[in-house]
Amino acid sequence: MRSKFKKTYKFAIKTSLFITLFITLLMGVFLYSFYTINWLILLVFSIICYVFAFLVIQFRVERFIYRRVKKIYDDLTLLESASLTRGPINTDMGTLTQEIDKFARDKKLEIETLKVRDQYRKEFFGNVSHELKTPLFTVQGYILTLLDGAMNDEKIREKYLTRASKGVERLVYIVNDLDMITKLEIGDLRLKIERFDIVEMVKNVFDMFEMRANKKKITLTFDIEYNKPIFVNADKERIQQVLINLVVNSIKYGREKGTTEVSIENLIKNKVIVRITDNGIGIGKPHLSRLFERFYRVDKSGSRSEGGSGLGLSIVKHIIEAHDEKIYVESEFGVGSEFSFTLEKAK
């Protein structure tokens, strides 16, 4: 691709003027010292000197600069700098310096972003490997034990097959969650938007997990008594999944004899915001920005005592964003957490 030069004459004009003034002054002093000054001759001399200096500077000296500037642009073209090859090449040194500085900053930012993504990729594959490895090894261990002769004992056979089945169920659970996230990210999961009562849905979710909450003596409650339905437009099945994930997380990490409270408030004319608040262990600020990443765990010990695929919050975020809505989290370690998301209010 041939580059077009955007020539500037400022350098040649100013430099020629300085040279002309100096030589003319020198010539004036010389004539004054040895001859009589003829102003007309001095003026003609100045003009000729200026034109000659301008031509030499513009077509010799600045051409020397052109070659090197073009070399810089050519080198940058090899790095596929679209911003520098889009328009004509500017040989003004100030403008060129600004463009090169901007190019360097953009490349530095791009490199830093790639490093962050690469680190995230490594963590993601490490987490996937860990999540899949545990149930796989569990299932393999039970099956190998049975093959080694334990299958002859009916009680052991039934117990080990039951445990192996639970390991397979966990694998299926993880794979299904990964499949859902992938579909949400590429826009392949179609949402079935319908009108439904969000208050009734929250009550149903409370009923589903009442027994689990009772084991930790956690109270599932509304902030106030909602006597009237609140209708929203959304995918009913997906929003129920969001509520289930958030309420289950609240129970998992809630304190004994704690509370999980849900509130539904009018945000603006056509929006409502659903808040799920608890007084559990809370989340430290360093973890909040990465909380919705796949497999990200606040607890780095690797414990899986609470179960789950590690994908719940990531799925929640993708479902809400698929509705073109927002999800928020506020938490303080040792105090509790609040997850909230917006929905379109139905007329």
Side-chain angles (χ1 to χ4, degrees):
M1 175 181 175
R2 294 186 62 185
S3 301
K4 294 182 179 180
F5 287 112
K6 180 183 176 183
K7 295 186 179 181
T8 58
Y9 297 92
K10 189 185 296 184
F11 174 78
I13 290 171
K14 288 185 177 180
T15 307
S16 300
L17 181 61
F18 294 148
I19 293 174
T20 301
L21 289 174
F22 175 75
I23 295 178
T24 301
L25 181 61
L26 191 63
M27 177 61 73
V29 172
F30 177 77
L31 291 176
Y32 178 78
S33 301
F34 297 98
Y35 303 98
T36 302
I37 296 179
N38 187 321
W39 294 105
L40 180 61
I41 293 174
L42 193 62
L43 178 62
V44 172
F45 174 81
S46 299
I47 294 172
I48 293 172
C49 180
Y50 181 83
V51 172
F52 178 75
F54 177 83
L55 293 174
V56 169
I57 293 169
Q58 183 65 28
F59 295 102
R60 296 300 300 170
V61 177
E62 196 163 351
R63 187 170 179 79
F64 174 79
I65 297 173
Y66 289 164
R67 293 195 190 99
R68 276 140 186 81
V69 171
K70 185 177 184 301
K71 179 67 167 57
I72 293 173
Y73 275 93
D74 290 342
D75 290 343
L76 293 177
T77 302
L78 295 176
L79 298 175
E80 298 180 355
S81 173
S83 61
L84 291 177
T85 57
R86 192 175 298 150
I89 294 176
N90 193 324
T91 55
D92 178 70
M93 292 297 104
T95 304
L96 177 62
T97 301
Q98 291 177 2
E99 290 185 3
I100 297 300
D101 287 344
K102 183 178 182 301
F103 172 79
R105 288 195 300 271
D106 291 344
K107 286 298 175 185
K108 183 180 179 181
L109 180 61
E110 184 179 336
I111 290 170
E112 289 176 352
T113 303
L114 289 173
K115 286 181 178 179
V116 171
R117 289 181 178 178
D118 183 60
Q119 181 62 30
Y120 171 75
R121 179 187 60 82
K122 290 177 180 177
E123 290 182 7
F124 172 70
F125 283 117
N127 287 330
V128 170
S129 174
H130 185 85
E131 293 290 343
L132 295 177
K133 180 173 61 177
T134 303
L136 275 174
F137 285 175
T138 300
V139 173
Q140 184 185 43
Y142 287 131
I143 292 175
L144 289 176
T145 304
L146 290 171
L147 290 174
D148 285 342
M151 69 172 62
N152 297 324
D153 188 319
E154 186 176 343
K155 291 183 178 180
I156 293 178
R157 182 174 65 217
E158 184 177 354
K159 182 172 69 174
Y160 280 18
L161 286 174
T162 300
R163 292 179 179 178
S165 178
K166 289 181 179 179
V168 173
E169 285 177 7
R170 177 166 171 75
L171 282 171
V172 172
Y173 186 57
I174 293 171
V175 171
N176 285 339
D177 281 355
L178 279 171
D179 181 60
M180 179 177 292
I181 289 178
T182 303
K183 287 180 178 179
L184 285 166
E185 287 181 341
I186 65 176
D188 194 36
L189 188 64
R190 295 182 180 179
L191 299 176
K192 183 182 177 182
I193 305 299
E194 57 183 302
R195 183 175 181 268
F196 62 91
D197 180 10
I198 188 67
V199 176
E200 184 65 28
M201 178 177 285
V202 174
K203 290 179 180 177
N204 292 337
V205 172
F206 281 173
D207 290 341
M208 275 190 269
F209 298 101
E210 184 179 8
M211 290 184 64
R212 183 183 294 191
N214 287 338
K215 289 180 180 178
K216 295 181 72 172
K217 298 180 182 178
I218 291 175
T219 303
L220 303 178
T221 183
F222 285 99
D223 62 325
I224 60 174
E225 187 173 347
Y226 291 91
N227 296 318
K228 295 182 179 180
I230 300 175
F231 292 101
V232 297
N233 291 321
D235 187 313
K236 187 175 181 180
E237 183 181 345
R238 301 303 174 196
I239 296 303
Q240 179 171 286
Q241 188 175 5
V242 168
L243 285 169
I244 288 172
N245 279 328
L246 294 178
V247 170
V248 167
N249 271 357
S250 179
I251 295 170
K252 281 182 184 179
Y253 304 108
R255 298 182 186 276
E256 292 280 345
K257 300 180 181 179
T259 303
T260 294
E261 181 182 274
V262 175
S263 65
I264 306 164
E265 306 167 13
N266 288 320
L267 189 61
I268 53 178
K269 185 177 180 181
N270 65 331
K271 296 284 184 182
V272 296
I273 185 166
V274 182
R275 305 181 191 274
I276 297 91
T277 309
D278 65 62
N279 55 357
I281 59 176
I283 305 163
K285 288 184 179 180
H287 302 288
L288 291 179
S289 62
R290 300 190 59 189
L291 201 59
F292 294 102
E293 290 180 11
R294 301 179 185 182
F295 296 115
Y296 184 77
R297 299 268 182 176
V298 174
D299 180 10
K300 299 299 183 182
S301 65
S303 172
R304 298 295 182 266
S305 58
E306 295 293 348
S309 65
L311 297 167
L313 289 179
S314 185
I315 290 174
V316 165
K317 178 177 181 289
H318 281 88
I319 289 175
I320 296 301
E321 289 181 348
H323 284 79
D324 292 325
E325 300 293 345
K326 301 290 185 182
I327 184 165
Y328 310 95
V329 57
E330 294 181 12
S331 186
E332 185 176 344
F333 186 73
V335 176
S337 304
E338 178 184 282
F339 288 85
S340 57
F341 59 91
T342 59
L343 289 174
E344 180 184 341
K345 191 174 183 180
K347 295 180 181 179

